[in-house]
Amino acid sequence: RRMEREFKKLVEEFELANHYQDIACDILKKIEIDNTDKNLYSLFYLSIEESISYFCDAIHNELDLSIKDFDNFNFSEKCKLLQNSDSIKNIIQSEINSGGFLFDLENSKKNLLQVPDLNIIASSASNDLNNLHSTLNKYNRFCSLLRKSLIEC
């Protein structure tokens, strides 16, 4: 009975991660139409962060890591804690470092919150959109790779 409950929880966490990932994709499509609405960008970040958090919860439970108070950490800290697991360490480290989706997500979020330089004539909206697409694509690949790795273990 306990294993059944744990399996159900694990499936729910993966489903919630997928759900928030789908929401982020839908918001990204709206940003493509109206890239001036900064609220859409905030919703995108919130959705992708929730997806990452639930995905990390599922991985944490799948690997039975028993990290104290894991549920209380934010998405970024959960990823950093998961890299302590030898079986997925390399996959997660590459995403935290430069060029990884976590690194890109933090940087693009930071850039969005900066006050734009009014002396610069060119718009960065298309660049922001490309960064969001790239980050989401990297996150999708990360999820796929990690799931495949867990199946093989």
Side-chain angles (χ1 to χ4, degrees):
R1 196 90 172 121
R2 181 173 181 261
M3 283 185 62
E4 184 178 313
R5 253 183 288 129
E6 288 177 10
F7 178 74
K8 185 176 180 183
K9 182 180 178 185
L10 178 67
V11 169
E12 287 174 1
E13 289 167 339
F14 276 127
E15 287 175 357
L16 285 168
N18 290 339
H19 179 67
Y20 280 106
Q21 196 172 10
D22 291 343
I23 291 172
C25 288
D26 291 343
I27 292 169
L28 194 53
K29 289 175 187 170
K30 290 179 183 179
I31 292 172
E32 289 172 354
I33 296 168
D34 177 12
N35 61 20
T36 61
D37 187 352
K38 294 299 181 190
N39 290 326
L40 288 175
Y41 286 88
S42 296
L43 288 172
F44 172 83
Y45 291 119
L46 180 63
S47 298
I48 199 74
E49 289 170 4
E50 284 297 308
S51 177
I52 296 166
S53 183
Y54 280 113
F55 189 73
C56 287
D57 289 343
I59 300 302
H60 175 257
N61 290 329
E62 174 75 14
L63 295 176
D64 198 24
L65 296 176
S66 302
I67 298 172
K68 186 174 171 35
D69 297 325
F70 189 80
D71 292 340
N72 296 333
F73 293 102
N74 70 22
F75 75 99
S76 182
E77 290 302 314
K78 286 179 180 182
C79 286
K80 290 174 185 170
L81 288 168
L82 287 178
Q83 75 176 337
N84 292 326
S85 173
D86 289 335
S87 60
I88 59 174
K89 182 179 191 167
N90 292 337
I91 297 170
I92 293 182
Q93 275 183 342
S94 66
E95 298 304 333
I96 292 172
N97 296 332
S98 179
F101 82 87
L102 282 168
F103 182 86
D104 291 351
L105 182 66
E106 294 292 340
N107 279 340
S108 64
K109 187 175 175 182
K110 196 182 326 173
N111 290 339
L112 177 73
L113 299 175
Q114 286 181 346
V115 178
D117 185 349
L118 298 176
N119 293 324
I120 298 176
I121 297 170
S123 170
S124 66
S126 64
N127 194 26
D128 292 342
L129 188 58
N130 288 338
N131 288 339
L132 296 181
H133 274 289
S134 174
T135 300
L136 190 56
N137 288 337
K138 287 178 183 180
Y139 175 56
N140 291 339
R141 284 191 300 271
F142 165 77
C143 290
S144 178
L145 178 61
L146 206 47
R147 284 181 177 149
K148 287 177 185 173
S149 296
L150 291 175
I151 290 169
E152 291 174 3
C153 290

